[in-house]
Amino acid sequence: MKLQTEIYQTIAAVDYQKLKAEFQAQNEFLVLENFLPNSILNEFLSLLPSLEPAINRNYIPNHKKGGSISRYSLDKLAPIFGEFYQLNALFNFFNEITGEKLLPCPDRDPHTYALYYYTEPGDHIQYHYDTSYYRGKRYTVLLGLVDRSSSKLEYQLYKDIPERETQMRSLSLTPGTLVLFNGDKLYHRVTPLGENEQRIVLTLEYVTDSRMGMLKRFVSNMKDAIAYFGFRQVFRH
């Protein structure tokens, strides 16, 4: 109830009409600084040291280098992240901003909620879309937890709209900052981490249709196994 109350109080203070207009004007993309209440942020931060053994590190030349913790490990080691993901207040907020009826990802999706760790020099991910393998849309939420780094979230707005000029932008995902976007519309990357730097992000995924064909499920699982969580995490569930 504490999580629900604090998020509800945060959301109650926002200007929905302004945020909805901004989200649509930016081709389904929105940034909200200081979204996460300090009490929740600090609770998440207090858990991070104990989660380090669960980090799966990966390296794909010319694409990605970093670490990740899947929802399966979080459910076992830090269930508060799953509780946060399921908050009705969050669903209502995201539904209002996107104009969609969002659904949770199925239990078998390791990317439903996860932690991204950029903790070694050169950790990064190249430009990509958060492609939806589901039959409906997939919305990504990023929440900054730790940002002692020079890394930036760089993104290209309107890249998929021929009549609009693409706009190149970047931002630091400072602690408590929320980013919400349609995964099939935002072309984005994370620039390489420098020496003695650290960047940790919580990601949440929501969909408009939780169905996925068998072939796309296999492709999605292979992507998650190779690029994020490892084969043991992905295929044992």
Side-chain angles (χ1 to χ4, degrees):
M1 288 298 294
K2 178 184 174 183
L3 287 176
Q4 186 85 275
T5 300
E6 295 194 12
I7 289 296
Y8 178 80
Q9 291 173 346
T10 296
I11 292 170
V14 305
D15 184 336
Y16 276 99
Q17 293 306 314
K18 178 182 177 182
L19 295 182
K20 287 170 64 175
E22 185 176 347
F23 181 74
Q24 293 300 328
Q26 295 186 132
N27 198 25
E28 295 194 281
F29 173 82
L30 180 68
V31 179
L32 276 177
E33 295 181 349
N34 303 312
F35 174 83
L36 202 60
N38 284 333
S39 58
I40 297 178
L41 174 61
N42 290 334
E43 190 162 0
F44 287 167
L45 293 177
S46 71
L47 294 168
L48 296 183
S50 66
L51 294 174
E52 289 182 5
I55 298 172
N56 180 74
R57 286 198 59 85
N58 45 74
Y59 173 56
I60 302 175
N62 301 315
H63 178 61
K64 183 180 185 295
K65 178 176 176 287
S68 311
I69 300 180
S70 76
R71 60 103 32 100
Y72 305 139
S73 293
L74 293 178
D75 285 346
K76 183 185 302 182
L77 302 172
I80 190 174
F81 289 103
E83 295 168 12
F84 179 78
Y85 173 84
Q86 293 283 357
L87 291 177
N88 289 332
L90 276 184
F91 270 92
N92 293 337
F93 176 67
F94 296 141
N95 284 344
E96 186 70 24
I97 300 302
T98 63
E100 302 283 355
K101 176 60 177 176
L102 298 180
L103 304 169
C105 293
D107 291 344
R108 64 182 179 276
D109 189 334
H111 233 125
T112 303
Y113 39 92
L115 291 173
Y116 295 157
Y117 282 76
Y118 300 81
T119 53
E120 296 183 2
D123 281 359
H124 72 287
I125 185 167
Q126 292 285 18
Y127 271 113
H128 66 287
Y129 292 99
D130 287 0
T131 303
S132 177
Y133 295 98
Y134 289 93
R135 294 185 182 180
K137 300 175 184 177
R138 168 180 152 177
Y139 287 91
T140 297
V141 175
L142 302 176
L143 280 162
L145 299 184
V146 176
D147 185 32
R148 296 188 290 270
S149 78
S150 56
S151 287
K152 304 291 184 184
L153 174 65
E154 291 190 347
Y155 54 98
Q156 299 181 18
L157 290 182
Y158 317 119
K159 181 176 171 61
D160 61 334
I161 303 179
E163 62 272 19
R164 292 291 300 269
E165 180 181 355
T166 300
Q167 295 185 14
M168 308 283 291
R169 299 183 185 178
S170 69
L171 63 89
S172 296
L173 206 61
T174 53
T177 294
L178 177 145
V179 177
L180 166 66
F181 59 91
N182 183 325
D184 283 313
K185 291 187 175 182
L186 190 74
Y187 198 51
H188 61 288
R189 71 168 181 166
V190 176
T191 61
L193 198 76
E195 295 281 346
N196 302 312
E197 295 184 345
Q198 187 179 55
R199 181 180 185 272
I200 303 174
V201 174
L202 172 65
T203 180
L204 315 173
E205 305 289 350
Y206 300 91
V207 294
T208 59
D209 187 331
S210 59
R211 294 174 297 172
M212 186 185 294
M214 290 183 63
L215 177 59
K216 287 192 174 181
R217 169 58 62 189
F218 176 75
V219 173
S220 179
N221 283 341
M222 288 296 292
K223 172 187 68 69
D224 283 342
I226 295 170
Y228 291 95
F229 309 120
F231 283 87
R232 182 175 297 180
Q233 276 286 308
V234 172
F235 286 101
R236 75 179 181 184
H237 291 269

